[in-house]
Amino acid sequence: MDTFRIEGPVRLSGNIRVNGSKNASLPIMAATILGAGKSVLKSVPHLSDISVCGELLKGLGCEVGRNSDGDLFIDSTTIDNPVGEYDIVCRMRASICVLGPLLARCGRAEVSMPGGCAIGDRPVDIHLRGLRELGAKIDLKNGYIVAEAPDGLKGKEIFLGGSFGSTVLGTANILMAAVLAKGQTVIESAACEPEITSLAKCLNKMGAKITGIDSPRLVIDGVKELKPVEFEVMADRIEAGTFMIAAAITAGELKLENCRVGDMMAVIDKLRNIGVTVEADGDNCVVARKGAIKAADITTQPYPGFPTDLQAQFMTLLSLAEGNSVIIEKIFPDRFMHVAELSRMAANLRKEGAIVVVAGVKKLIAAPVMASDLRASAALVLAALAAEGTTMVSRVYHIDRGYEKIEKRLNPVGAKISRIKV
Ligand code: EPZ
């Protein structure tokens, strides 16, 4: 298990190109199941989650690899084993999003229940409710979801909302099941995340008939079959947000290229409110901070609200603000694995249930800390960039799940991160 040794404080300055989105890539990789043949996906990042999803697709019978341009190809001509095995699904919960396309293509699917993870329970009840509404028979056997629709799926009006708002991968699953269903499906309270918009556009390019894209009401007219696709994956807004916060926490200046500013208004608004300058110029933006960080309150919400995937990173930034901030996590109430670790670095945090009061401190102090989940780990790296001294961050495999060699992206702009193989 690798460990990062991070010297601080540093001031980041320079250009970083934002990679393709992990959370857009994963459902689109699953969507290639629907179009028998060879699909080619561009700008798919080299991440462990992507490799795990590739392993899952190979287990179904697909051929998966990278061509000489680095594009990811998936040949789904043969799907002779519609089973998502436990030892893969337990490593990456997003594997659940092969359930819908497998059911649509093969009429049956077995996918291991994903189980929880460091950010809390990850139920899939809404995924299953939606598939039942489309006519699937769903049973749970020995930890596996067994789904059958031998006569195909039938379109229906489905409400996908929950107490928290909408489910992103639940919307993806039902959308991918509905594109080959007989008749029309209407998904009410669909997730509006940009990654869902991207998936819908990809499915339409494969021959699906989806309207209402970018809205909470998706209308899908079932078609007979879909074709393989060549598709460019969108830029990663969470990676971009992480780098914006890196510029802010180090009082530096970063120019981010391939940055979808339009997808990030909730984050940019908050950054501007606390004294960070964000100047957008097409697909690039310059993020800088010179003066003090002001305190701010944050509540995570479904898109276009403040994204839960940037809560930990923003908490780290606010731990150096002048004054007190309040962070309310409405999507994953347990998503606070970073709180104890940041406190070890002298952050002043008080957690009450799904709320954390952040009392700003003058500085963070280096300490040995442990990564726990993807975004909490990114937050620890950000803290280490600003902290005084040498921070050791262990279990960095959590970071490698969602950030491609983050040390190779940050060191050229002034970070001092060394990866130690232990
Ligand atoms: C996606 O997860 C993302 N993952 C997550 O990013 C992200 O945090 C999350 O959406 C919210 O934006 C991918 O896209 C691969 P949800 P997903 O279903 O779809 C509840 C990262 O760091 N819920 O939108 O699994 C659930 O408990 C990852 O990149 C049910 O109750 O999240 C949560 O409270 C972490 N029943 C809320 O919905 C269900 O059937 C939102 O979860 C499904 C979800």
Side-chain angles (χ1 to χ4, degrees):
M1 284 193 277
D2 295 356
T3 292
F4 277 158
R5 177 194 293 119
I6 305 176
E7 306 290 337
V10 295
R11 174 166 295 185
L12 300 188
S13 172
N15 296 7
I16 298 184
R17 180 170 179 74
V18 178
N19 277 351
S21 163
K22 164 180 86 82
N23 290 353
S25 299
L26 293 171
I28 286 172
M29 287 171 73
T32 62
I33 293 167
L34 293 161
K38 187 171 182 178
S39 292
V40 176
L41 304 179
K42 296 176 165 310
S43 301
V44 175
H46 290 75
L47 300 169
S48 52
D49 268 13
I50 300 297
S51 310
V52 172
C53 189
E55 271 180 65
L56 176 68
L57 293 171
K58 283 179 190 166
L60 305 178
C62 300
E63 271 180 60
V64 183
R66 295 264 182 179
N67 65 24
S68 53
D69 298 333
D71 302 336
L72 183 75
F73 67 80
I74 299 167
D75 189 333
S76 62
T77 305
T78 306
I79 303 268
D80 51 13
N81 176 40
V83 179
E85 301 290 351
Y86 171 72
D87 68 331
I88 292 182
V89 175
C90 71
R91 285 188 279 152
M92 196 208 35
R93 319 182 38 265
S95 310
I96 189 70
C97 66
V98 299
L99 184 60
L102 278 178
L103 199 52
R105 161 107 184 243
C106 311
R108 73 177 319 281
E110 280 186 46
V111 178
S112 165
M113 284 289 279
C117 67
I119 65 177
D121 288 348
R122 306 293 293 275
V124 291
D125 55 308
I126 301 174
H127 296 238
L128 303 186
R129 169 156 58 84
L131 292 174
R132 285 191 175 106
E133 295 269 1
L134 290 174
K137 181 175 170 299
I138 307 266
D139 294 304
L140 296 185
K141 287 179 188 152
N142 308 103
Y144 278 75
I145 299 162
V146 179
E148 288 170 319
D151 305 325
L153 297 168
K154 197 167 174 322
K156 196 161 178 219
E157 183 141 351
I158 300 172
F159 178 75
L160 271 194
S163 54
F164 44 85
S166 308
T167 159
V168 174
L169 289 182
T171 301
N173 242 336
I174 303 312
L175 181 58
M176 290 191 279
V179 293
L180 294 181
K182 296 181 191 71
Q184 185 176 83
T185 298
V186 177
I187 302 178
E188 291 289 359
S189 192
C192 298
E193 270 67 7
E195 293 77 18
I196 292 296
T197 296
S198 180
L199 171 65
K201 287 177 178 170
C202 179
L203 289 167
N204 276 352
K205 192 173 178 185
M206 295 171 77
K209 288 193 170 52
I210 304 167
T211 53
I213 297 177
D214 257 339
S215 88
R217 187 175 192 272
L218 294 173
V219 180
I220 305 106
D221 289 304
V223 294
K224 281 256 177 297
E225 67 169 15
L226 296 188
K227 298 263 178 292
V229 70
E230 182 168 310
F231 193 78
E232 172 103 30
V233 164
M234 62 183 266
D236 192 319
R237 62 192 171 100
I238 304 302
E239 179 181 88
T242 304
F243 291 148
M244 288 180 175
I245 294 167
I249 202 168
T250 60
E253 177 168 321
L254 288 177
K255 180 179 180 186
L256 300 183
E257 294 155 8
N258 190 33
C259 181
R260 290 166 56 98
V261 170
D263 292 346
M264 306 180 65
M265 290 323 292
V267 179
I268 291 171
D269 178 59
K270 278 295 170 192
L271 286 169
R272 287 171 172 161
N273 287 349
I274 66 171
V276 179
T277 59
V278 182
E279 278 147 25
D281 166 20
D283 273 355
N284 301 325
C285 73
V286 177
V287 183
R289 176 180 65 94
K290 291 187 172 52
I293 300 167
K294 299 188 191 82
D297 295 343
I298 288 186
T299 299
T300 62
Q301 288 164 322
Y303 189 85
F306 191 94
T308 174
D309 292 351
L310 283 169
Q311 178 256 105
Q313 300 91 316
F314 219 94
M315 182 186 291
T316 305
L317 180 57
L318 291 174
S319 66
L320 290 171
E322 286 182 344
N324 293 348
S325 305
V326 177
I327 295 179
I328 305 174
E329 173 56 66
K330 303 275 272 190
I331 307 296
F332 293 110
D334 298 330
R335 192 173 199 167
F336 291 116
M337 296 293 284
H338 44 290
V339 170
E341 297 306 295
L342 289 172
S343 303
R344 292 172 47 73
M345 298 179 74
N348 184 343
L349 309 172
R350 205 178 88 237
K351 179 175 166 316
E352 291 290 333
I355 299 172
V356 170
V357 177
V358 184
V361 296
K362 288 256 177 287
K363 59 184 176 183
L364 295 174
I365 312 290
V369 290
M370 189 183 293
S372 53
D373 66 86
L374 169 54
R375 307 302 176 183
S377 318
L380 297 180
V381 171
L382 296 176
L385 294 174
E388 284 192 354
T390 301
T391 299
M392 303 299 283
V393 182
S394 60
R395 302 189 179 185
V396 296
Y397 62 85
H398 288 291
I399 300 171
D400 294 336
R401 287 189 49 206
Y403 297 87
E404 192 174 329
K405 298 223 176 320
I406 198 167
E407 73 275 18
K408 294 200 185 314
R409 321 278 294 292
L410 292 176
N411 286 345
V413 293
K416 293 173 188 161
I417 305 174
S418 31
R419 183 185 287 257
I420 303 161
K421 300 240 174 256
V422 290

